[in-house]
Amino acid sequence: MPELPEVETVCAGLRTALEGARLQDVTVRRHDLRRPIPEDFVNRIRGQKVLAIKRRSKYILMELDSGLCLIVHLGMSGCMRILQGNPPPPDKHDHVEFMTDRRTCIRFADPRRFGFFDIIEAGELENDPALRKLGPEPFDPGFTAPYLKSALKNKTATMKAALMDQRIVAGLGNIYVNEALFRARISPTKKAGKLSLVAAQRLVPVIVDVLNEAIASGGSSLRDHRRTDGELGYFQHNFQVYGRAGDPCPSCTTSAIRRIVQQGRSTFYCRICQK
DNA sequence: CGCTCCACCTGAACGC
DNA sequence: TGCGTTCAGGTGGAGC
């Protein structure tokens, strides 16, 4: 599911429910997620207060008052539900649950079990193997056209592959890479090392825009992505190319949107508008 | 090292 | 209705 905007939307919901609250009960119903949930997981975090909810790329970071940090990744199909009071019986994919001292229940459901939970010392965040290699956040002042051009220098991979690479820029996934390349009129098959500075100057702001718009509309959402309140996000209705194979290009209106496969994933683009 | 491919897992959608 | 096939947002390890 979730690319950066969806994770940011989930974080916003978690902030309201969790910041300043104490994790009174922690329940793990299945340990076999993408990374197994450690045996001592519950004991290490039960009773602790959540100081802050942060986001790095697609990772949710929960800072606890003991100096530990809970890292959560939603994988492809993970979602967080926030429920007040006594929750209904869990269904088969509700794997992890927190009950706070405010009687708020936070439920993690993940049918495909690609998500994971981890606990590290807050001071070790930048050494974490998952976080260490990440490139800049798209909203960082350091994410500029000159940065992007130099990060792509000599790369023979395609633009699609390069923008999916979290070491170049963190947080983009399949949908927003498709949308950003369309808006910047850059072909997904273009060799990344050949990107001109002018094209990079178009690309950087549209990446920021497309993510900001998705966050503003409540996190994109796919078929099965849900916000923490269980409502679907709205941005799915605004995709210009993603999932629109065969439709007329919204820009030139004469050519049809094509679907190709790159790195085993669908790419959608207009062959006329994107060079 | 850079790059591509594939596995991980389940469910939804579609074709016959 | 039912069965088989294909596809899905991410990540990271294998292998070239």
Side-chain angles (χ1 to χ4, degrees), chain A residues 21-275:
Chain A
R22 205 167 282 283
L23 303 177
Q24 216 164 53
D25 287 304
V26 180
T27 307
V28 177
R29 298 196 177 85
R30 277 195 82 143
H31 286 80
D32 56 338
L33 305 186
R34 166 155 198 145
R35 276 146 58 173
I37 294 183
E39 285 301 316
D40 58 356
F41 179 82
V42 172
N43 285 334
R44 290 185 76 190
I45 62 175
R46 184 170 48 203
Q48 293 188 35
K49 194 175 184 181
V50 179
L51 299 181
I53 306 284
K54 296 182 177 170
R55 179 191 59 73
R56 173 75 169 111
S57 187
K58 302 165 193 171
Y59 298 85
I60 300 166
L61 310 175
M62 302 189 194
E63 294 181 0
L64 307 177
D65 62 351
S66 62
L68 292 178
C69 183
L70 183 58
I71 303 178
V72 186
H73 197 289
L74 299 173
M76 298 254 273
S77 57
C79 73
M80 292 282 191
R81 298 290 298 280
I82 297 172
L83 304 158
Q84 284 303 328
N86 273 352
D91 79 23
K92 67 189 281 205
H93 300 304
D94 291 338
H95 307 314
V96 179
E97 190 164 303
F98 304 95
M99 177 61 80
T100 73
D101 56 353
R102 301 168 181 163
R103 306 308 295 163
T104 304
C105 172
I106 290 90
R107 249 183 200 175
F108 170 79
D110 185 6
R112 292 172 76 177
R113 306 205 311 280
F114 284 0
F116 65 82
F117 287 72
D118 213 347
I119 301 172
I120 64 165
E121 300 281 345
E124 291 295 306
L125 274 176
E126 50 208 56
N127 299 325
D128 183 82
L131 302 178
R132 193 179 44 198
K133 296 178 189 159
L134 293 172
E137 290 286 314
F139 304 130
D140 269 5
F143 182 60
T144 61
Y147 160 77
L148 184 59
K149 180 150 166 56
S150 84
L152 298 178
K153 192 177 179 189
N154 295 331
K155 288 223 171 288
T156 58
T158 61
M159 282 302 300
K160 171 75 185 298
L163 292 184
M164 295 286 283
D165 184 341
Q166 303 297 301
R167 296 168 300 181
I168 307 285
V169 56
L172 293 176
N174 201 37
I175 293 182
Y176 298 114
V177 168
N178 276 290
E179 294 296 310
L181 286 172
F182 174 75
R183 288 195 192 190
R185 307 194 311 279
I186 297 166
S187 170
T189 64
K190 185 182 184 66
K191 299 290 183 202
K194 303 248 180 189
L195 190 74
S196 69
L197 183 60
V198 169
Q201 282 165 340
R202 290 200 306 273
L203 183 54
V204 165
V206 302
I207 288 173
V208 172
D209 287 350
V210 82
L211 296 174
N212 270 326
E213 288 170 27
I215 292 168
S217 52
S220 123
S221 140
L222 298 172
R223 275 193 296 283
D224 53 0
H225 172 61
R226 295 195 170 250
R227 305 186 307 185
T228 50
D229 58 7
E231 293 303 305
L232 286 171
Y234 309 114
F235 194 69
Q236 57 192 344
H237 304 302
N238 296 333
F239 297 147
Q240 294 190 88
V241 290
Y242 182 82
R244 294 192 176 273
D247 287 2
C249 166
S251 177
C252 68
T253 71
T254 53
S255 181
I257 299 301
R258 298 178 50 109
R259 173 184 180 272
I260 60 173
V261 175
Q262 295 178 287
Q263 279 72 45
R265 321 202 79 94
S266 292
T267 296
F268 301 90
Y269 74 114
C270 174
R271 235 182 345 177
I272 305 302
C273 297
Q274 295 174 251
K275 300 293 184 190

Side-chain angles (χ1 to χ4, degrees), chain A residues 5-16:
Chain A
E6 291 73 41
V7 178
E8 185 58 43
T9 302
V10 170
C11 283
L14 292 177
R15 273 181 203 116
T16 308

